[in-house]
Amino acid sequence: MENNNPRLLAVQVLSRVAKGSYSNLTLDGTLRKAHLDPRDAGLLTNIVYGVIQRQLTLDFFIAPFIRGKKVDDWVLVLLRTAVYQMKYLDKVPTRAIFYDSTEIAKKLGHAGVAKFVTAILHRMDREGFPKIENIKDPAERLATGSSTPLWLTSKLIKQLGMVQASAILDSIDTAPNGVLRVNRTKTKRDDLAKVLSDRFPDLHDSIVSPVALVTPGGHLAGTDEFRAGEYTLQDESSQLVAPSLRLRPSDKVLDACAAPGGKTTHIAEYLDPAQGGKVTALDLHAHKVKLVAQNAARLGLADRVDAMTLDARKAQDEFAAGSFDRVLVDAPCSGLGLIRRKPEIKYEKTQQDIDNLSRIQKDILGSVADLVKPGGYLTYSTCTMVTEENQGVVTDFLAKHPNYKQVEVAKDAALSLQHSEPALQLFPSDYGTDGFFIASLQRTE
């Protein structure tokens, strides 16, 4: 078997991901080294992300054929890749899956492992897989079918109801769209769409953001227009944050958790440096602050952005009370709204992570409260879907800061699907975006 066989590479990538490597970085590095033709590169990518997205479902299918027998981690990964292809890829012949799986077992193990793998695959083909619909408990059935840990599935059912939780979890195994945000200081959406149409024929307007263009596939960061700063990459739901701040050209803005700078540069587009408009962008890590500055420079917005290394929880030590017209806290969070884009998140996070993050979120929000001028606005946002990190944090903040009130989130697009008013919560099942939460708070005195 050749070393650049896409099924062999998929097993190697997934084995490294199982040991803690990032799926996107590991896959990108493998693709660069392997020099695959487009068809094989597509198969490799499909298997890697498909197996990660459906890992728990695949294990449910495999379990009765192993019957509790201990197998090496890489053998389990190999079986997952084979079952994924058998269940979810229509155009892959079963004989090709069986042959390559056996050869991979020989290459990575020995003849005995190959015999074991071959026997299991033939039994699966002969006897068929267990049926998810036969699982009696509704939460367990949804968890298994959507490949989501039971604790997280049960939490979403408890907080959102079975109908909403099912809609979300049934939607997350589709591939995410590519999304760009037009840099309005350099071009217009219609003009950019026309320029890019030869390379992205399916590019179309977003209904969530008036400055977003969406495409089901393609490498949006690989164009001359991207390098020239005519657009940046940012999910549609994330593009709702800057409008929520009700920005004016002369505003002084603090972006307290800024890296890598997508929202910072969006805020900067609303500001006029000639009128004093400026956004101060903070991040805990110096290398991430550098990313913010690089993004601002590429987009031609560096004269409106001050990027600096600072823990947002210490912002009140650096800036005087009432220094800013607007403050954004796009808080570190569990990222559970990004499951479609980063499927391994759902296996990694725990309730303890959520509890710890909730405490940090409350600390950050409290630390910037006095920096907002009376009458100014404070936006709190996350890319997650659980109450503890969203309205729970806002409610705690309002109880401790009676000089603030929660107001409706300002938007520049009409959204028929949204939740948690006066906050704005989007779920991945609403518009095919990332899940996102935004709350708008006004300082009254």
Side-chain angles (χ1 to χ4, degrees):
M1 168 171 275
E2 299 290 335
N3 288 332
N4 66 345
N5 178 287
R7 294 186 177 91
L8 170 62
L9 293 172
V11 173
Q12 293 171 328
V13 168
L14 287 164
S15 295
R16 290 168 62 188
V17 171
K19 293 177 180 176
S21 298
Y22 290 114
S23 59
N24 57 339
L25 299 179
T26 308
L27 179 60
D28 288 348
T30 301
L31 287 169
R32 279 198 303 274
K33 291 178 183 175
H35 304 294
L36 301 175
D37 64 45
R39 183 176 175 182
D40 282 349
L43 178 60
L44 168 60
T45 302
N46 189 321
I47 293 174
V48 168
Y49 282 119
V51 168
I52 295 173
Q53 285 171 335
R54 300 179 186 277
Q55 181 174 309
L56 299 184
T57 311
L58 296 170
D59 288 351
F60 170 78
F61 291 140
I62 293 169
F65 299 96
I66 294 181
R67 292 173 181 166
K69 185 174 182 179
K70 176 65 179 172
V71 298
D72 289 342
D73 291 343
W74 72 267
V75 176
L76 181 58
V77 169
L78 172 58
L79 290 172
R80 286 172 182 159
T81 63
V83 174
Y84 172 72
Q85 294 171 81
M86 294 164 71
K87 286 288 292 182
Y88 299 107
L89 300 187
D90 295 334
K91 296 180 180 178
V92 179
T94 301
R95 64 179 182 279
I97 300 169
F98 283 22
Y99 177 80
D100 274 4
S101 297
T102 302
E103 292 302 305
I104 292 167
K106 289 178 185 174
K107 190 176 184 71
L108 300 182
H110 48 72
V113 180
K115 187 177 179 182
F116 171 75
V117 168
T118 303
I120 285 183
L121 294 180
H122 280 287
R123 275 190 58 211
M124 290 173 173
D125 191 43
R126 188 171 59 249
E127 299 175 16
F129 295 107
K131 297 185 182 302
I132 292 171
E133 54 267 34
N134 290 342
I135 299 174
K136 292 182 180 177
D137 180 73
E140 187 178 349
R141 187 165 61 243
L142 177 59
T144 302
S146 64
S147 190
T148 306
L150 183 58
W151 75 268
L152 178 55
T153 303
S154 299
K155 172 181 284 294
L156 293 175
I157 292 171
K158 183 178 180 181
Q159 294 188 350
L160 308 175
M162 177 59 87
V163 172
Q164 188 67 67
S166 298
I168 293 170
L169 296 181
D170 287 344
S171 76
I172 58 175
D173 286 334
T174 57
N177 288 319
V179 184
L180 65 83
R181 190 191 81 229
V182 179
N183 182 356
R184 292 171 300 147
T185 66
K186 292 196 173 188
T187 186
K188 298 177 181 177
R189 183 164 74 170
D190 289 348
D191 294 341
L192 182 63
K194 191 176 297 182
V195 169
L196 294 175
S197 61
D198 59 334
R199 286 153 287 172
F200 302 94
D202 295 323
L203 198 67
H204 59 274
D205 290 351
S206 164
I207 59 174
V208 175
S209 166
V211 290
L213 289 167
V214 182
T215 178
H219 184 39
L220 285 169
T223 71
D224 290 338
E225 290 81 4
F226 175 81
R227 287 184 282 275
E230 294 187 23
Y231 65 87
T232 194
L233 306 186
Q234 186 180 23
D235 188 72
E236 296 155 276
S237 56
S238 178
Q239 294 184 31
L240 299 174
V241 172
S244 76
L245 285 161
R246 298 170 165 84
L247 294 161
R248 303 164 300 184
S250 61
D251 277 341
K252 300 283 192 301
V253 185
L254 177 68
D255 185 352
C257 310
K263 298 176 192 68
T264 304
T265 53
H266 196 188
I267 291 167
E269 287 183 35
Y270 287 83
L271 306 178
D272 181 359
Q275 298 184 48
K278 177 82 77 176
V279 52
T280 301
L282 310 182
D283 197 88
L284 185 59
H285 305 289
H287 68 283
K288 291 186 176 180
V289 172
K290 193 175 178 181
L291 283 178
V292 177
Q294 288 172 341
N295 273 325
R298 181 178 61 80
L299 293 165
L301 300 167
D303 60 343
R304 312 170 195 202
V305 176
D306 278 340
M308 59 188 293
T309 305
L310 184 68
D311 185 335
R313 289 169 290 188
K314 298 179 180 176
Q316 56 191 337
D317 299 333
E318 182 73 19
F319 305 104
S323 294
F324 298 98
D325 301 288
R326 307 285 187 265
V327 172
L328 168 62
V329 174
D330 184 52
C333 69
S334 60
L336 293 171
L338 309 178
I339 288 176
R340 180 186 286 123
R341 202 173 296 280
K342 299 178 180 176
E344 59 265 45
I345 284 177
K346 59 187 175 183
Y347 310 122
E348 296 170 351
K349 297 301 179 185
T350 65
Q351 182 61 51
Q352 186 177 2
D353 292 328
I354 291 174
D355 294 340
N356 290 337
L357 285 161
S358 174
R359 283 192 286 273
I360 294 171
Q361 291 153 356
K362 291 172 184 174
D363 287 347
I364 294 175
L365 204 52
S367 72
V368 302
D370 289 342
L371 302 184
V372 181
K373 292 178 181 176
Y377 291 92
L378 168 59
T379 283
Y380 173 76
S381 63
T382 72
C383 52
T384 193
M385 303 180 285
V386 294
T387 303
E388 300 98 307
E389 297 184 74
N390 292 336
Q391 190 60 40
V393 173
V394 172
T395 301
D396 178 84
F397 174 83
L398 291 171
K400 295 173 181 173
H401 298 83
N403 59 333
Y404 272 88
K405 63 178 180 181
Q406 186 171 6
V407 297
E408 185 179 357
V409 176
K411 305 181 288 291
D412 53 10
L415 299 175
S416 58
L417 299 173
Q418 65 178 69
H419 317 272
S420 303
E421 290 182 315
L424 192 164
Q425 172 83 66
L426 288 187
F427 297 126
S429 51
D430 291 333
Y431 297 99
T433 68
D434 294 338
F436 219 89
F437 175 85
I438 302 171
S440 185
L441 308 164
Q442 185 177 24
R443 183 172 178 180
T444 54
E445 58 184 55

